[in-house]
Amino acid sequence: YLLGLILGIRLTMHGPGLAVVDNVLLILALAYAVCGLALMEHLLRRLQMPRFVKIVFYVGLLLMQIPGLIIMALVGLFDSYFDFRRVRAHTLG
């Protein structure tokens, strides 16, 4: 809900407060990117990929920079809704 609220504010707001909204959006994107990286690590471990493949994957993400961040943020966003890792965080708390 926070992401939808921030995106709604971003699309309707103009002026100096826009920088604050952009920074909050960047922080949310980084948080979702960390979740996306956790999902990718889970997938690589589940498929029992060798260490070299993991290194090539992470170096590729590092070299992609902004597109890599966007892709990982989207993966993390979808993981928070579809629970690909079957974490079931709602039952833990």
Side-chain angles (χ1 to χ4, degrees):
Y1 297 111
L2 181 61
L3 181 64
L5 176 69
I6 293 299
L7 286 175
I9 292 172
R10 171 69 174 95
L11 293 174
T12 59
M13 187 176 203
H14 300 287
L18 194 60
V20 174
V21 174
D22 287 341
N23 286 330
V24 172
L25 192 58
L26 178 67
I27 291 169
L28 280 174
L30 290 174
Y32 279 123
V34 169
C35 294
L37 284 171
L39 177 65
M40 288 295 115
E41 180 64 25
H42 172 76
L43 181 68
L44 290 173
R45 284 186 184 181
R46 188 171 181 195
L47 295 175
Q48 297 177 350
M49 292 292 172
R51 187 177 303 246
F52 178 73
V53 173
K54 289 181 183 181
I55 291 171
V56 168
F57 175 76
Y58 288 123
V59 168
L61 275 177
L62 180 68
L63 292 176
M64 286 186 358
Q65 293 183 2
I66 299 299
L69 173 69
I70 293 170
I71 290 168
M72 286 298 106
L74 289 174
V75 168
L77 179 68
F78 288 130
D79 182 45
S80 67
Y81 286 108
F82 297 117
D83 197 20
F84 295 121
R85 294 180 288 160
R86 292 177 180 79
V87 174
R88 310 235 191 268
H90 58 280
T91 59
L92 295 176

